[in-house]
Amino acid sequence: MGGGTPQPVLLGLIVAPSTAGLTLAVAVVLAFLARTPLRVVLVDRHRHRWLDRTKVAAWVGAVELVLAAASLAAASLLTSHPFWVPVVVAGPLAAVELWYDARSRSRRLVPELAGSISVCSMVAMIVLAGGGEIQLAVGLWLV
């Protein structure tokens, strides 16, 4: 797992522990793991090729994303607290990062910042799912 992924997840679970938060943490880890095979597929598609590795990456990425979606759905069922606002805010930033990933340009400033901000939105999601206040969630996201 990347250096910046565990910290927001752990912070959220420490500040607002909940079953829904733990389920969201699982979804985050799975989504993060899916990024590597997704990047392979996006790069190969961008270069107009479909190799054996592309097929494997597509299959592995699909399995990871389905499991992440199932974890996200489970989290939705486990909490009555709305936690989707950070996803709406961070979604476009994650899309920017993927756009750069598809062009093998992910180590530039814009995708690095977009990726960091979007990954850190997970602390806010976990805190909100655990019943935490929006001010606390946003403050921790900024940390």
Side-chain angles (χ1 to χ4, degrees), residues 16-98:
S18 68
T19 306
L22 184 59
T23 310
L24 280 173
V26 170
V28 168
V29 170
L30 288 165
F32 183 82
L33 292 174
R35 182 174 174 237
T36 299
L38 181 58
R39 185 180 331 159
V40 170
V41 172
L42 290 174
V43 168
D44 286 352
R45 294 264 316 174
H46 181 71
R47 293 181 179 164
H48 307 290
R49 63 185 182 199
W50 191 259
L51 308 170
D52 287 339
R53 74 176 189 157
T54 316
K55 292 178 204 171
V56 172
W59 186 84
V60 170
V63 168
E64 289 170 338
L65 288 174
V66 166
L67 292 173
S71 296
L72 192 59
S76 296
L77 295 173
L78 290 170
T79 186
S80 60
H81 305 287
F83 61 87
W84 293 99
V85 172
V87 175
V88 173
V89 174
L93 296 170
V96 166
E97 182 185 22
L98 282 175

Side-chain angles (χ1 to χ4, degrees), residues 1-10 28 32 115-122:
M1 191 178 317
T5 304
Q7 292 91 345
V9 170
L10 290 174
V28 168
F32 183 82
S116 296
I117 294 168
S118 65
V119 164
C120 290
S121 71
M122 297 309 133

